[in-house]
């Protein structure tokens, strides 16, 4: 790939925030971010993909797109501090300005999180603050909720907490399994993550006293009701 073609693929260009994406596996959210960054007016470029697992499928995809991608195997580091220091070094070398965690399955030290405060975001497959942690779909189904979804938030030392930037919701259907619900939510993750990253990178979403303010119009009449009152008439 020529450097020009690589620039087009990664969305590299002037005035864009340099984003590092942290993954551990499949990397479908990272792919959604990279696809969005192809648009000439997208305010961020995916400048680096890092995985703590060398076998993460997303690494190969990123390299094939011309995106620098690197494995930093957490098993090679004796402590969380040492692993986080290696992450920090790689992010600094790539001149990363914003970090997007996308299925990154490693707990980070409070020191690392604090260093990136306000500059690191994460996607989680639930409507936080409901269902932080693992098994979000099974827990939502066990509770019988009618609406589930996903959240993009700034990262704070507490796991799956932090100021909320964007959320997306889907109906829960009778007969859903954790897998069918995960698929429905994942499709929305791929919409809200590029949207939320753009809001942060452009400065439209700002941290203000521990909350996020959004400086773009919000459609105050949009709503999701489940079961749908029109369809069930
Ligand atoms: C997504 O559901 C994300 O919300 C969660 O882990 C999953 C990662 O999927 N944190 P992918 O690697 O982005 O495909």
């Amino acid at each position: 790939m020529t450097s020009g073609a690589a620039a087009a693929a990664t969305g590299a260009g002037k005035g864009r925030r340099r984003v590092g994406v942290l993954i551990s596996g499949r990397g479908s959210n990272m792919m959604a971010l990279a696809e969005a960054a192809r648009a000439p007016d997208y305010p961020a470029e995916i400048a680096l993909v890092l995985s703590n697992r060398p076998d993460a499928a997303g690494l190969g995809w990123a390299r094939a797109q011309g995106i620098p991608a690197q494995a930093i195997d957490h098993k090679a580091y004796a402590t969380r501090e040492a692993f986080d220091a290696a992450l920090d070094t790689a992010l600094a070398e790539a001149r990363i300005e914003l970090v997007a965690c996308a299925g990154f399955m490693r707990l980070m030290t409070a020191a690392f999180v604090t260093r990136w405060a306000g500059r690191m975001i994460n996607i989680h497959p639930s409507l936080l603050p409901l269902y932080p942690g693992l098994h979000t779909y099974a827990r939502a189904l066990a509770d019988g909720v009618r609406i589930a979804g996903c959240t993009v938030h700034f990262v704070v030392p507490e796991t799956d907490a932090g100021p909320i930037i964007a959320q997306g919701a889907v109906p829960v259907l009778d007969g859903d399994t954790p897998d069918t619900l995960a698929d429905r939510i994942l499709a929305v993750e791929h919409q809200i993550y590029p949207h939320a990253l753009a809001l942060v990178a452009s400065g439209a979403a700002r941290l203000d006293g521990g909350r996020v303010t959004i400086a773009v119009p919000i459609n105050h009449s949009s709503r999701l009701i489940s079961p749908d009152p029109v369809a069930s008439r």
Side-chain angles (χ1 to χ4, degrees):
M1 192 178 285
T2 64
S3 62
T10 59
K14 265 192 131 185
R16 297 174 183 232
R17 309 298 301 279
R18 292 177 65 78
V19 175
V21 185
L22 306 186
I23 65 169
S24 294
R26 162 181 77 172
S28 70
N29 278 290
M30 174 273 294
M31 294 173 197
L33 296 177
E35 301 283 1
R38 288 179 202 273
D41 59 349
Y42 195 78
E45 64 177 287
I46 308 307
L48 180 64
V49 174
L50 290 178
S51 171
N52 65 307
R53 296 183 55 113
D55 60 353
L59 285 174
W61 184 91
R63 289 187 188 118
Q65 308 298 308
I67 302 172
Q70 196 182 325
I72 301 181
D73 188 348
H74 65 269
K75 294 200 199 88
Y77 296 86
T79 62
R80 281 192 195 280
E81 286 74 13
F83 172 72
D84 286 0
L87 274 187
D88 236 356
T89 301
L91 294 169
E93 280 172 358
R95 293 177 285 105
I96 295 304
E97 302 172 272
L98 291 172
V99 173
C101 303
F104 185 61
M105 302 301 284
R106 282 303 287 173
L107 292 178
M108 295 174 278
T109 60
F112 179 85
V113 172
T114 303
R115 213 163 27 256
W116 284 92
R119 300 181 294 145
M120 179 156 63
I121 64 178
N122 179 48
I123 187 156
H124 181 74
S126 77
L127 292 171
L128 291 173
L130 279 177
Y131 313 125
L134 299 175
H135 311 300
T136 56
Y137 320 107
R139 288 154 66 200
L141 292 176
D143 282 346
V145 299
R146 290 290 179 190
I147 292 175
C150 46
T151 303
V152 180
H153 62 96
F154 283 104
V155 177
V156 295
E158 192 190 335
T159 305
D160 300 328
I164 291 172
I165 303 159
Q167 294 186 301
V170 299
V172 177
L173 307 185
D174 291 343
D176 259 337
T177 64
D179 285 347
T180 60
L181 182 57
D183 286 348
R184 195 172 311 117
I185 292 174
L186 189 65
V188 181
E189 292 185 40
H190 296 163
Q191 284 185 280
I192 69 163
Y193 211 2
H195 178 47
L197 176 62
L199 290 173
V200 172
S202 68
R206 278 180 206 286
L207 261 179
D208 185 8
R211 299 178 76 97
V212 178
T213 56
I214 308 279
V216 292
I218 290 177
N219 179 356
H220 54 83
S221 63
S222 72
R223 60 196 63 175
L224 169 64
I225 300 173
S226 180
D228 185 328
V230 176
S232 54
R233 233 181 250 151

